Amino acid sequence: MRRQLSPVEAYRRVDFDARVSGAGPAELVHLCYEHLVAALGTAIHADRNGDNGLKSRSLTRALTAITALHLGVSGESEVAAALNQLYDAARRTVLDSAIAFDARSLAALRADFAEIGQALLAPR
């Protein structure tokens, strides 16, 4: 049995699908960063409110974004190695919080990815 999406979740999914369909590679990376930052924020909020279902779904969305980012890394350059290390550490942080929720670690991770995401938007 498939669970019914809330209106907010349905809108988020439609918005995400529409943005993905018209995005280039750089836009897709930024979209994954946005998705990750939002999912981490929702997980923290859900934990504060005792909503374990939403917290679990949010952590799953965060892992999905990290996996997509990780899959997009190619090559053997120092930048690729650094990105792989970053995404591995982010994955561990999220997985650790699935077992023993750590809002402080997730908030720090969220801030780091928000900062990187903003830097991606900066004009060059």
Side-chain angles (χ1 to χ4, degrees):
M1 182 174 182
R2 190 172 165 105
R3 81 174 174 85
Q4 186 76 0
L5 292 178
S6 74
V8 171
E9 289 174 2
Y11 174 78
R12 183 183 307 127
R13 184 170 291 171
V14 168
D15 179 59
F16 183 78
D17 290 346
R19 291 177 68 193
V20 166
S21 69
E27 294 162 321
L28 287 174
V29 169
H30 186 264
L31 185 58
C32 286
Y33 274 72
E34 280 184 12
H35 191 68
L36 175 57
V37 168
L40 293 172
T42 302
I44 293 165
H45 175 76
D47 181 65
R48 263 189 252 138
N49 291 314
D51 188 340
N52 289 329
L54 179 59
K55 178 173 67 175
S56 177
R57 289 189 305 275
S58 298
L59 291 175
T60 299
R61 280 196 307 273
L63 286 171
T64 300
I66 293 167
T67 300
L69 288 163
H70 213 216
L71 290 172
V73 176
S74 61
E76 303 292 324
S77 70
E78 289 181 23
V79 172
L83 287 172
N84 282 324
Q85 185 177 15
L86 173 68
Y87 299 150
D88 285 341
R91 177 181 218 81
R92 277 192 306 278
T93 299
V94 173
L95 288 172
D96 287 349
S97 279
I99 296 167
F101 196 81
D102 185 349
R104 181 172 280 144
S105 293
L106 291 178
L109 183 66
R110 182 176 187 265
D112 290 346
F113 276 89
E115 185 177 337
I116 294 167
Q118 287 301 310
L120 291 173
L121 292 177
R124 299 184 194 253

